[in-house]
Amino acid sequence: MFATLSDRLTSTFKNLRTKGRLSEADIDATVREIRRALLDADVAVPVVRTFTAAVRERALSSEVSGALNPAQQVVKIVNDELVAILGGQNRPLALAKNPPTVIMLAGLQGAGKTTLAGKLALHLKGQGHTPLLVAADLQRPNAVTQLQVVGERAGVPVFAPHPGNQGHDDVLPAGADPVSVSREGLATAHAKQHDVVIVDTAGRLGVDAELMAQAADIRDAVDPDEVLFVIDAMIGQDAVTTAQAFADGVGFTGVVLSKLDGDARGGAALSVASVTGRPILFASTGEKLTDFEVFHPDRMASRILDMGDVLTLIEQAEKAFDAEQAEKMAGKLASGQDFTLADFLVQMQQLRNMGSIKKMFGMLPGMGQMREALDNFDEREVDRIEAIIRSMTPAERENPKIINGSRRSRIARGSGTTATDVNQLLDRFDGAQKMMKQMARTGGMPGMGNLPGMGGKKARGRVAPPARKVKGKSGNPAKRAEQERAATDRALNGPSAPAGSAFGLGAPAPEQVDPSALQLPAGFDKLLGGR
């Protein structure tokens, strides 16, 4: 969503890196570009003014003028101020001391409250809670049915005593009372010992008195611990106006951003925390129930500045990857066994459990420079690879070398691909298998055995210097005789540099070093290859 803003800011900072010292004109030009980028991204004007004023004041101070790298210091200042307008620090969900914790969702129609109720319930269920969904939106057609479907997918019970509006008009049916449903839902949670209650309320296409009155009545009836305002990150500048209206009419305690996976500018959503003074607690990043994450202002600022979000990537990997399976795979490679296509299939399935591959790559630092390649990446390529591997027999997965021409044709037909696709997969896998073997053999990445800290047998001792190139014989007899004498002296007496010089020219070969003669601490000789 923030791709355009990220590209503009990255381009602005790139111009600063070529300058060793920043003048006031340089800073003014940078602040001007930042202001334009934020306004183009739909960030609220008051927020832009406050933001750019703070950046300019800090950039002109000694904080930048005394820095070793002024350009990087300006980037740090912009990052700090972005974190500030996004809410500063992450605030966790406020849980009641005496369960159940009551969470009320409020917002306009179409913001994604019902789907988000299921996402939040699944998120809390994964933390060991027992949530209950309450269908208090009786006005929107089939809203109750939708919540029941979402609850079933999340594996969370739904309290829905009234079917709600089954017609096509956006009206409250006769006899339907959202306030009573909310109150009865809370009583049911007490009776059945649910420790969290999530109340899904009705919305409108716009802010009106009837909407605010109904939301306020539900709030008074259930006395929620959290009132979460769900806002569509794609609605533009109206987001700030709507948020302010709900803050005045209902009073919410936190914000949830929905549809962050859209391609709209989305800058108005960044303004909500600053304008209302309420923190952003969660973000919805896709259509699946698992596309839901805790909002961290510092991580979002890093994403916008194309510095990545590695912490979130690690957290998602920890959830998706099976630690026992990973340990088993490491043990298999350490014992010298081959990495097979069956192992590759397992790893790929765990990778898919993390969600969109594009989204994962987008969390890596500097990936904004490869945005076009990421946009052109076809997620279905993973499905094709999985189909090819599943079309193989167990013997073929264990030993791909037995796959001949006829087997390739059979696998291609079974997977709906071509023999060329099968060949390409086998070629890529052969390279990956060789890399795995080398990693298991050397204990480090291929080609990095001699680098400090990369491990491997080749990293022992000091690296021997490369052999000197011997110049060709001179045509001058006297000079040729001098070259021959010098070569003889080097052969008999070794290099002319003093032993133990800073570059190791006079040091003996690693094999000739006796660690026991160095009087090292006990056990330290093993690090130098001692026996």
Side-chain angles (χ1 to χ4, degrees), residues 155-174:
V156 175
V158 179
F159 178 77
H162 195 285
N165 187 359
Q166 300 294 311
H168 301 286
D169 296 326
D170 190 9
V171 295
L172 191 66

Side-chain angles (χ1 to χ4, degrees), residues 58-318:
R58 290 183 60 183
L60 290 174
S61 67
S62 58
E63 181 179 354
V64 170
S65 60
L68 292 176
N69 192 321
Q72 289 184 1
Q73 195 67 22
V74 171
V75 174
K76 179 183 180 301
I77 291 172
V78 173
N79 179 74
D80 293 344
E81 295 302 325
L82 265 179
V83 172
I85 69 169
L86 289 171
Q89 296 181 346
N90 164 257
R91 179 177 78 77
L93 201 64
L95 299 176
K97 294 181 179 179
N98 298 315
T101 299
V102 181
I103 302 172
M104 173 181 165
L105 303 182
L108 293 181
Q109 194 176 102
K113 292 191 302 299
T114 302
T115 304
L116 192 122
K119 291 182 176 183
L120 179 59
L122 182 62
H123 172 75
L124 293 172
K125 181 182 176 183
Q127 294 182 341
H129 296 283
T130 55
L132 173 69
L133 293 172
V134 177
D137 183 1
L138 307 180
Q139 180 168 318
R140 180 169 61 88
N142 298 312
V144 175
T145 305
Q146 182 188 355
L147 186 64
Q148 289 173 329
V149 172
V150 169
E152 183 179 357
R153 287 168 53 197
V156 175
V158 179
F159 178 77
H162 195 285
N165 187 359
Q166 300 294 311
H168 301 286
D169 296 326
D170 190 9
V171 295
L172 191 66
D177 186 2
V179 179
S180 298
V181 169
S182 302
R183 192 181 292 112
E184 292 170 10
L186 180 58
T188 301
H190 275 288
K192 297 187 176 181
Q193 296 184 344
H194 291 278
D195 66 345
V196 178
V197 178
I198 302 174
V199 182
D200 179 30
T201 64
R204 298 288 193 282
L205 295 177
V207 177
D208 59 24
E210 185 181 356
L211 167 66
M212 292 302 174
Q214 186 184 111
D217 290 342
I218 294 176
R219 178 200 61 198
D220 296 339
V222 298
D223 190 20
D225 299 279
E226 291 274 16
V227 178
L228 300 184
F229 174 58
V230 183
I231 185 169
D232 185 347
M234 301 172 62
I235 65 175
Q237 285 289 341
D238 195 44
V240 177
T241 307
T242 305
Q244 194 63 58
F246 270 88
D248 297 338
V250 182
F252 55 85
T253 58
V255 179
V256 181
L257 298 180
S258 65
K259 305 179 186 179
L260 268 186
D261 56 322
D263 56 359
R265 290 175 288 185
L270 303 181
S271 314
V272 173
S274 181
V275 170
T276 64
R278 302 292 186 271
I280 302 174
L281 301 186
F282 301 102
S284 174
T285 58
E287 296 179 359
K288 297 181 180 178
L289 290 182
T290 52
D291 294 335
F292 181 79
E293 60 188 48
V294 177
F295 187 86
H296 296 272
D298 53 341
R299 300 183 190 181
M300 182 57 70
S302 293
R303 290 191 205 181
I304 293 174
L305 296 179
D306 196 25
M307 295 189 293
D309 186 0
V310 179
L311 287 177
T312 299
L313 186 60
I314 292 173
E315 290 174 358
Q316 291 183 0
E318 287 176 344

